[in-house]
């Protein structure tokens, strides 16, 4: 069973461009979480999704950020009009139904120039 | 709101010795889970150990064990027989009870292991 996969592993964008981060959960996992890690900080929750539904987006900035987890395909975290402050590591985690442990992907390092 | 505090930004241990990393949390809930994650230089988040709040017995995974003090809201991690590969950032995390919910992380403790 392959682990949580994220791509790209590294992404460089110029200010004003769009960033798309993808996450494929482990097989059988229907719950996906996105977290952001700023330099020298712990991970901060952004959004929790199940297939075709956003369950909790309380940690997501109101503007420029969106997330989806379609019926088919990976979960996508989209950042529009990126700014330098968006530079961070973005981690995806997944879990199966009725299990409390979350399994993390390797993260995507976003650098905004 | 729940919070997780790790009061030791950095710790150091001699190889083969034992080290304890501290974590305290604040919650008004009685049902929750606690975790320790390890983040080596590769930045991958690796689950080290987990504890269910309703269990009185402290969790153990090989060289890793916890001291869970529910009344004091304390959840420390003990690493025995430290190895060079244990060098990493260690994050304590809280999750409320129920089938799903996001993790709340502390700021982490950077552990160095001296040969």
């Amino acid at each position: 069973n392959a682990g949580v996969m994220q791509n790209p592993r590294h992404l460089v964008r110029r200010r004003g461009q769009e960033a798309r981060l993808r996450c494929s959960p482990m097989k059988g996992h229907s719950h996906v979480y996105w977290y952001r890690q700023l330099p020298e900080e712990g991970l901060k929750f952004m959004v929790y999704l199940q297939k075709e539904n956003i369950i909790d987006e309380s940690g997501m900035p109101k503007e420029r950020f969106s997330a989806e987890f379609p019926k088919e395909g990976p979960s996508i975290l989209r950042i529009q009009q990126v700014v330098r402050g968006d530079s961070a590591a973005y981690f995806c985690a997944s879990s199966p139904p009725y299990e409390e442990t979350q399994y993390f992907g390797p993260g995507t390092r976003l650098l905004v120039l | 709101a729940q919070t997780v505090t790790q009061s030791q930004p950095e710790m150091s241990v001699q190889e083969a010795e034992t080290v304890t990393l501290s974590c305290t949390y604040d919650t008004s809930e009685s049902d929750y889970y606690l975790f320790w994650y390890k983040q080596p230089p590769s930045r991958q988040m690796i689950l080290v150990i987990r504890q269910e709040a309703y269990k009185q017995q402290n969790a153990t995974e090989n060289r890793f064990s916890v001291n869970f003090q529910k009344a004091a809201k304390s959840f420390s991690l003990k690493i025995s027989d430290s190895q060079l590969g244990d060098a990493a950032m260690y994050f304590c995390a809280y999750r409320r009870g129920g089938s799903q919910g996001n993790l709340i992380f502390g700021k982490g403790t950077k552990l160095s292991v001296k040969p």
Side-chain angles (χ1 to χ4, degrees):
Chain A
N1 190 1
V4 178
M5 300 178 68
Q6 289 187 250
N7 64 80
R9 295 291 303 276
H10 300 272
L11 183 60
V12 179
R13 285 288 179 265
R14 297 193 180 277
R15 282 179 295 169
Q17 291 184 319
E18 178 180 288
R20 280 187 176 237
L21 287 61
R22 288 177 291 278
C23 168
S24 297
M26 291 175 69
K27 187 177 180 181
H29 290 199
S30 55
H31 302 259
V32 166
Y33 300 81
W34 285 93
Y35 296 85
R36 177 165 65 176
Q37 185 179 31
L38 296 171
E40 310 302 323
E41 294 283 328
L43 279 70
K44 294 281 172 57
F45 166 72
M46 299 181 74
V47 62
Y48 160 36
L49 311 103
Q50 294 180 25
K51 283 285 186 182
E52 299 185 280
N53 285 303
I54 297 175
I55 306 302
D56 180 0
E57 56 182 349
S58 59
M60 193 108 93
K62 295 287 187 286
E63 297 179 355
R64 302 189 298 108
F65 285 73
S66 63
E68 63 177 9
F69 188 16
K71 187 177 180 180
E72 301 291 336
S75 175
I76 306 287
L77 179 67
R78 182 183 178 202
I79 311 172
Q80 295 178 291
Q81 299 176 322
V82 296
V83 301
R84 288 212 173 113
D86 296 333
S87 295
Y90 292 83
F91 288 91
C92 166
S94 73
S95 67
Y98 310 113
E99 185 177 327
E100 60 279 355
T101 299
Q102 296 178 18
Y103 300 88
F104 282 81
T108 293
R109 276 80 183 168
L110 173 64
L111 176 62
V112 180
L113 301 177
Chain B
Q2 296 87 3
T3 58
V4 177
T5 301
Q6 293 179 250
S7 58
Q8 306 154 315
E10 295 188 24
M11 291 283 285
S12 180
V13 63
Q14 204 72 34
E15 195 175 6
E17 297 293 307
T18 295
V19 65
T20 298
L21 308 184
S22 301
C23 173
T24 58
Y25 57 95
D26 188 25
T27 183
S28 58
E29 300 182 354
S30 59
D31 183 23
Y32 52 88
Y33 303 91
L34 296 165
F35 304 83
W36 279 97
Y37 280 88
K38 169 184 176 182
Q39 188 178 45
S42 68
R43 306 291 298 273
Q44 173 81 50
M45 294 290 288
I46 302 166
L47 177 67
V48 175
I49 199 165
R50 76 179 198 193
Q51 174 81 43
E52 293 87 345
Y54 62 85
K55 289 187 177 179
Q56 291 188 336
Q57 186 172 9
N58 290 324
T60 299
E61 289 287 342
N62 300 314
R63 298 184 294 108
F64 299 87
S65 61
V66 298
N67 184 4
F68 174 46
Q69 302 289 326
K70 191 172 184 178
K73 296 180 182 174
S74 171
F75 183 60
S76 60
L77 175 70
K78 186 171 85 169
I79 306 174
S80 304
D81 185 25
S82 297
Q83 299 176 0
L84 295 177
D86 294 335
M89 285 290 290
Y90 286 82
F91 292 97
C92 178
Y94 165 100
R95 213 214 83 185
R96 63 176 169 80
S99 59
Q100 292 291 336
N102 61 282
L103 294 166
I104 300 170
F105 285 88
K107 290 193 172 184
T109 296
K110 183 177 181 180
L111 177 66
S112 302
V113 180
K114 297 178 180 177

